[in-house]
Amino acid sequence: MERAEVLKRVIGILTEAQDIRRAVESGQDEDGYGDAHGEGDGPDATAGVATTLLNEILPSISVPADASPQQVAALVAEALGPALHTMVSGFSLAFTSLAIAHDSGRTDVTSIEVLQELALEVEAGTYDEGA
């Protein structure tokens, strides 16, 4: 999965979490929420979206049967490192964008709008590696 796609999926996870929180705070029943989004009910829906992302970005790992624990650790770190780095970068970028809007006292924009703007910037290539 390309970096931009991972960043957009991370933004989607955060947006979904906002939707779930708003539904819970407004007292919407679980069945109404789950049916409307097709992702299940409540917080489990966000867990499902996050699990799907992990399943899509994490590579499979082949470990020789006679590998030592140190070799297994090295293989796992080598295989998972880049994907996890990209995902953590996405959450960090989203957090930073939200924090900047908050710290600057912006009341004219919601957190969802900040995330939507970030998604547009990612789509435009603003955060491509080497850009």
Side-chain angles (χ1 to χ4, degrees):
M1 183 178 290
E2 291 185 25
R3 183 173 191 269
E5 182 62 26
V6 173
L7 295 176
K8 289 187 284 186
R9 297 289 283 285
V10 165
I11 293 166
I13 289 169
L14 294 173
T15 302
E16 181 79 12
Q18 284 277 354
D19 289 342
I20 291 168
R21 181 177 177 147
R22 287 194 177 118
V24 169
E25 288 175 351
S26 71
Q28 188 172 3
D29 66 9
E30 289 182 12
D31 290 335
Y33 181 82
D35 293 345
H37 290 78
E39 291 288 340
D41 298 320
D44 291 341
T46 300
V49 174
T51 299
T52 299
L53 174 63
L54 286 171
N55 287 335
E56 290 177 359
I57 69 169
L58 296 179
S60 60
I61 303 169
S62 296
V63 178
D66 62 345
S68 71
Q70 293 81 7
Q71 290 170 320
V72 171
L75 288 169
V76 169
E78 183 179 326
L80 299 183
L84 292 176
H85 174 77
T86 300
M87 190 175 69
V88 169
S89 294
F91 279 105
S92 299
L93 177 62
F95 173 81
T96 301
S97 298
L98 291 165
I100 288 170
H102 175 271
D103 292 349
S104 65
R106 299 224 22 218
T107 58
D108 62 321
V109 64
T110 66
S111 58
I112 295 290
E113 292 168 333
V114 171
L115 292 171
Q116 288 170 341
E117 178 62 30
L118 180 58
L120 292 173
E121 291 172 3
V122 168
E123 186 69 30
T126 302
Y127 300 99
D128 288 351
E129 290 181 307

